[in-house]
Amino acid sequence: MSKAKLLVVEDDPNLGDILQEYLTMKGYETTLCRDGEEGWSKFKKDKFGLAILDIMMPKKDGFTLGKEIKKVQEDLPIIYLTAKNLKEDIIEGLKIGADDYITKPFSMEELLLRIAAILRRTQKSEEVNTLKVYNFGAFELHYDEQYIISPSGTHKLTSKENELIRLLASEMNKLVNRSHALKQIWGDDSYFNARSMDVYLSKIRKILKEDPKVQIITIHGEGFKMVVAE
């Protein structure tokens, strides 16, 4: 399988050039943009498998660009690069749907590993023994097409929402270990990924509110389970 095409938006000329050169050397077709507006323009003209965005940029900051990208292609993975390490920034990135967040300075090897981990999840080949449709309560999850049908209609899911609901539905009424879920869907159980999973669980719970018989129960210190009342 050919490697994903990457969109890198970084206003630091030195870091931008190094990133493009390194990622190209590692086999990724890499498009480099120097500001958010150029990044948005390139995104609209081409199809990318992952975006790497700096946060503090001229013309259009990384968060604004990330929001615009997600409106058009909700499942495009985004990694944020930033010199800041503020809790508020991490939470803002999570709200937008960021897949990872790396604080400068960082090693190129670490970035490469994170890219590979994200792409393994989003570009994995079809699983042989995976059900295509899961039914629970008033809901019907169409796993392959990434949407769920509820009493109010059809909801398109992000790849992580889709994977989380599938995991919970396949282990109906059983405890799903938190660390296991993080490693299976996010690749590791780091603090950042744990916060990200909490955000996605919150979104899923909002959909499931349409049927009071279906709930996701959190078991403190262990994990959570989806229960369906008789």
Side-chain angles (χ1 to χ4, degrees):
M1 184 171 66
S2 60
K3 288 201 173 181
K5 189 180 286 191
L6 308 182
L7 174 66
V8 177
V9 189
E10 169 58 66
D11 68 318
D12 180 319
N14 294 327
L15 179 56
D17 289 344
I18 290 167
L19 280 168
Q20 185 178 38
E21 187 180 335
Y22 180 78
L23 294 170
T24 302
M25 184 180 72
K26 293 297 178 181
Y28 291 102
E29 187 179 336
T30 308
T31 298
L32 174 65
C33 303
R34 301 295 186 184
D35 60 64
E37 280 187 5
E38 187 189 353
W40 176 239
S41 174
K42 293 281 187 188
F43 167 76
K44 289 188 291 182
K45 290 176 186 169
D46 210 339
K47 182 154 180 66
F48 296 96
L50 182 142
I52 300 169
L53 311 179
D54 187 28
I55 291 179
M56 300 298 289
M57 293 189 293
K59 298 184 182 178
K60 194 192 294 279
D61 67 85
F63 286 147
T64 303
L65 177 58
K67 285 175 188 170
E68 291 177 347
I69 285 173
K70 288 289 186 181
K71 280 179 187 172
V72 176
Q73 190 180 341
E74 194 178 18
D75 60 351
L76 180 74
I78 293 177
I79 296 176
Y80 278 114
L81 305 180
T82 178
K84 301 201 296 184
N85 193 20
L86 297 175
K87 184 180 173 185
E88 292 76 18
D89 288 332
I90 294 174
I91 291 168
E92 180 65 25
L94 287 170
K95 284 179 183 172
I96 293 165
D99 288 76
D100 214 335
Y101 193 104
I102 302 182
T103 306
K104 301 172 188 174
F106 54 88
S107 75
M108 290 295 166
E109 290 80 6
E110 181 190 4
L111 176 62
L112 194 68
L113 287 170
R114 291 185 185 221
I115 290 170
I118 290 168
L119 292 175
R120 268 198 306 274
R121 297 194 303 269
T122 56
Q123 294 190 324
K124 64 179 178 228
S125 55
E126 289 181 9
E127 299 177 41
V128 230
N129 297 314
T130 301
L131 280 174
K132 307 295 179 191
V133 179
Y134 293 81
N135 292 284
F136 47 97
F139 305 99
E140 194 172 87
L141 171 68
H142 289 252
Y143 176 71
D144 277 6
E145 286 80 24
Q146 288 193 199
Y147 68 84
I148 188 170
I149 299 173
S150 76
S152 70
T154 300
H155 306 263
K156 184 68 182 159
L157 301 169
T158 65
S159 57
K160 287 193 185 61
E161 287 166 349
N162 193 45
E163 292 294 342
L164 257 178
I165 296 175
R166 184 200 67 80
L167 178 61
L168 290 163
S170 64
E171 298 290 333
M172 186 66 65
N173 297 316
K174 295 178 187 173
L175 174 71
V176 174
N177 180 271
R178 187 175 177 82
S179 180
H180 167 74
L182 283 164
K183 286 173 182 172
Q184 185 169 321
I185 298 171
W186 271 262
D188 65 64
D189 56 359
S190 67
Y191 169 78
F192 178 89
N193 289 337
R195 291 299 302 270
S196 180
M197 184 166 71
D198 289 339
V199 170
Y200 281 101
L201 279 169
S202 174
K203 289 179 180 178
I204 291 166
R205 282 187 170 108
K206 283 180 185 172
I207 297 172
L208 298 184
K209 274 184 181 174
E210 293 186 37
D211 183 356
K213 290 182 179 178
V214 181
Q215 290 183 54
I216 297 172
I217 297 171
T218 299
I219 295 145
H220 184 66
E222 294 186 53
F224 34 78
K225 62 181 174 179
M226 183 187 282
V227 295
V228 180
E230 293 296 332

